[in-house]
Amino acid sequence: MKHRLEKRATFTIVGRSLEIRNGETAKIPDFWMKNADDQQFMGQVMPHIGELGLMGVIADYQMDSNSMTYYVAIEDDGAVVGELKRLVVPAATWAVFEVVGPIPAALQSAWKDIYQNELPAAGLCQTGAPELEVYFPGDKSSSTYMSEIWIPVKKI
């Protein structure tokens, strides 16, 4: 799987969040579609979309309870107001993995491969900071659709 390392300063995201308990990640695609179809939400965030584009952000993962917070978000440029939640993402070195294929199947497969094979083979481990799914414009159901997974890492 093709990847690169990239350093990035602290940044803030803004978006809507969903609490996931007991590993119920099957709720994420519905949450994503609900927000992508919400014209008010998309109208709020799309004019302010930053370098990373529209993202799925996984934060506050708790291994003991298999829980996390999932955000549909953009980088915060300070102009978005309203009920949206903000999250500070600390400076990090990121392993950025290219994912090619239809969403969500390609991402689900990539996550598994990254944690089972790619990170251990590269001598890297996750730092505990939020992880990103970065979505680019295009047909998300296409076999050639491109997205990225960003994982904050450190050497083992």
Side-chain angles (χ1 to χ4, degrees):
M1 178 178 291
K2 188 175 179 182
H3 75 277
R4 68 183 186 278
L5 293 180
E6 186 169 316
K7 290 187 182 203
R8 200 156 202 284
T10 299
F11 64 100
T12 303
I13 63 151
V14 61
R16 289 185 175 162
S17 66
L18 173 69
E19 299 298 319
I20 302 291
R21 304 270 181 242
N22 302 316
E24 296 176 329
T25 56
K27 294 178 179 180
I28 292 173
D30 287 339
F31 179 69
W32 184 266
M33 290 308 300
K34 176 184 163 193
N35 286 290
D37 290 341
D38 183 333
Q39 291 181 0
Q40 180 182 359
F41 172 68
M42 295 306 282
Q44 260 184 307
V45 299
M46 291 311 283
H48 306 283
I49 202 155
E51 175 186 340
L52 291 175
L54 193 58
M55 298 177 279
V57 179
I58 300 157
D60 306 321
Y61 180 72
Q62 302 295 319
M63 188 176 289
D64 58 339
S65 63
N66 198 16
S67 65
M68 66 179 176
T69 304
Y70 185 86
Y71 293 80
V72 174
I74 63 166
E75 240 180 301
D76 183 8
D77 68 358
V80 180
V81 295
E83 84 291 350
L84 303 179
K85 294 187 178 180
R86 284 180 165 71
L87 175 72
V88 175
V89 179
T93 297
W94 299 83
V96 181
F97 296 88
E98 291 183 7
V99 180
V100 179
I103 304 301
L107 279 172
Q108 292 166 345
S109 176
W111 279 110
K112 183 177 179 181
D113 187 43
I114 288 166
Y115 273 101
Q116 288 183 351
N117 302 309
E118 298 294 328
L119 290 180
L124 300 170
C125 67
Q126 209 274 8
T127 66
E131 299 171 323
L132 314 175
E133 299 170 336
V134 177
Y135 299 95
F136 299 108
D139 178 2
K140 292 176 178 55
S141 64
S142 170
S143 63
T144 60
Y145 177 72
M146 176 73 115
S147 58
E148 293 178 337
I149 293 175
W150 290 52
I151 300 177
V153 294
K154 62 183 178 184
K155 286 282 189 189
I156 297 176

